[in-house]
Amino acid sequence: MLSKLLKYEYRATAIYFLPIYAMLVLVSGFSYAVRLIGHNVNKSGNYPFAKLVDTLITTFGSLYVLLAIALAITTFIVIIMRFYKNLLGNEGYLMFTLPVSVEENILAKLIPAITWFFGSCLLGVLTVAPTFWGGYRDFFNTFFYEYSVKDFFLDLLLIVFFIACLGLSFLFYYLCMCIGQLFNSHKFIASAAVYIGLQGALQVLAIVGVVLLMSFGGDFFLFDAIVDFISNMEALDGYQMAYIFFGIIDVFVLLCAAGLFWIDCRILKKKLNLT
């Protein structure tokens, strides 16, 4: 049943993203073509026409930036509103009567959200090069100079970290909306207030944690073990240290995401309030 929910969700959200994707690709293609023309014009010494080319390059670059901003805003709004309207709004009466679990309902929103956000970032990487660099050669020479197998595995850890952070962020938004729906009125405003309150509380806890660690870290029962672990890492090369660091961070973020997912499911199972 999850596959059917995902199919429906991708179809419902594609109408928002695909037109912007298409415009980004077109603008990037036009910008690339104009840059090629400008390169030939500069060789020929046709300076009046070169000014026109420069104007077009600036125009397409500005249009690309505006489309990228529109895509970012659209992605955020669609991700938030699809979860809120489909599960916590009037459509929730239908969604929660389907023969699917709460976990599947949440995953049906979370997986497309991560997919579209990741796809938007990937499309941005693929289209920014011809738009502003005039091709992929200089772009890849800049960012992938002397690329190796070690870099590949490190990039995999970074991609996992990126996706895990996306999932954690979206699940945090879902948590705020799940708590907000417990109110009898003005639920969306309550969700926004919960988000601001939780963000502030987390920042305060982080600051308090840092202060306590700096003040009483030596008395922490794992402090010596952590110091020994860091000392042993000095014998490792840069890649090994990066593998260990991002591996630990990936596991931590995934555990946090799993915890938020469990809390979201518990609230919707035990405290669902669609009135």
Side-chain angles (χ1 to χ4, degrees):
M1 192 63 181
L2 178 60
S3 61
K4 294 182 179 179
L5 289 175
L6 289 173
K7 182 179 180 181
Y8 169 78
E9 188 67 18
Y10 279 118
R11 285 182 176 178
T13 52
I15 59 175
Y16 299 103
F17 294 104
L18 294 184
I20 303 179
Y21 285 1
M23 287 188 287
L24 273 175
V25 173
L26 286 175
V27 169
S28 179
F30 284 129
S31 179
Y32 178 68
V34 171
R35 285 182 178 275
L36 288 180
I37 295 173
H39 181 70
N40 294 328
V41 168
N42 289 331
K43 285 185 176 180
S44 64
N46 191 345
Y47 296 108
F49 191 70
K51 291 183 179 180
L52 174 61
V53 170
D54 291 338
T55 302
L56 290 175
I57 290 175
T58 303
T59 302
F60 283 123
S62 301
L63 183 58
Y64 179 90
V65 172
L66 292 176
L67 286 172
I69 295 173
L71 179 59
I73 296 174
T74 300
T75 303
F76 178 78
I77 293 176
V78 170
I79 288 171
I80 297 299
M81 297 309 298
R82 288 295 300 177
F83 183 88
Y84 185 82
K85 287 186 175 182
N86 292 156
L87 297 184
L88 305 179
N90 293 331
E91 296 180 20
Y93 291 102
L94 172 63
M95 298 302 297
F96 286 105
T97 56
L98 295 175
V100 296
S101 64
V102 172
E103 290 83 359
E104 288 177 317
N105 270 321
I106 295 178
L107 287 175
K109 304 301 177 186
L110 179 63
I111 295 174
I114 294 175
T115 303
W116 287 119
F117 198 99
F118 187 79
S120 298
C121 294
L122 181 61
L123 181 67
V125 171
L126 294 177
T127 55
V128 72
T131 304
F132 296 103
W133 274 275
Y136 293 101
R137 178 180 299 176
D138 294 337
F139 176 79
F140 284 108
N141 286 340
T142 301
F143 292 96
F144 296 99
Y145 182 69
E146 294 184 354
Y147 195 76
S148 65
V149 176
K150 292 181 179 180
D151 295 308
F152 173 76
F153 287 111
L154 181 58
D155 286 343
L156 285 181
L157 289 174
L158 291 173
I159 291 173
V160 172
F161 174 72
F162 179 68
I163 295 176
C165 287
L166 285 179
L168 182 64
S169 299
F170 298 150
L171 287 168
F172 183 75
Y173 297 145
Y174 296 167
L175 173 63
C176 296
M177 287 185 282
C178 289
I179 296 175
Q181 61 89 33
L182 298 176
F183 293 80
N184 291 326
S185 61
H186 305 293
K187 296 182 179 182
F188 194 79
I189 297 176
S191 300
V194 170
Y195 174 80
I196 295 173
L198 287 179
Q199 283 280 31
L202 289 174
Q203 292 177 8
V204 171
L205 287 175
I207 294 173
V208 172
V210 171
V211 172
L212 291 176
L213 184 61
M214 294 177 63
S215 302
F216 307 102
D219 298 328
F220 186 54
F221 71 98
L222 288 178
F223 183 78
D224 293 335
I226 295 173
V227 171
D228 293 338
F229 177 74
I230 295 175
S231 299
N232 292 330
M233 286 184 65
E234 293 179 356
L236 304 176
D237 62 29
Y239 281 102
Q240 291 172 329
M241 292 179 64
Y243 294 154
I244 295 174
F245 175 78
F246 283 107
I248 294 174
I249 293 297
D250 287 350
V251 172
F252 175 76
V253 175
L254 288 171
L255 288 176
C256 291
L260 285 183
F261 181 78
W262 182 82
I263 295 173
D264 292 343
C265 292
R266 294 293 296 178
I267 294 176
L268 293 183
K269 284 180 180 180
K270 303 297 183 180
K271 300 291 183 179
L272 183 61
N273 179 24
L274 298 178
T275 57

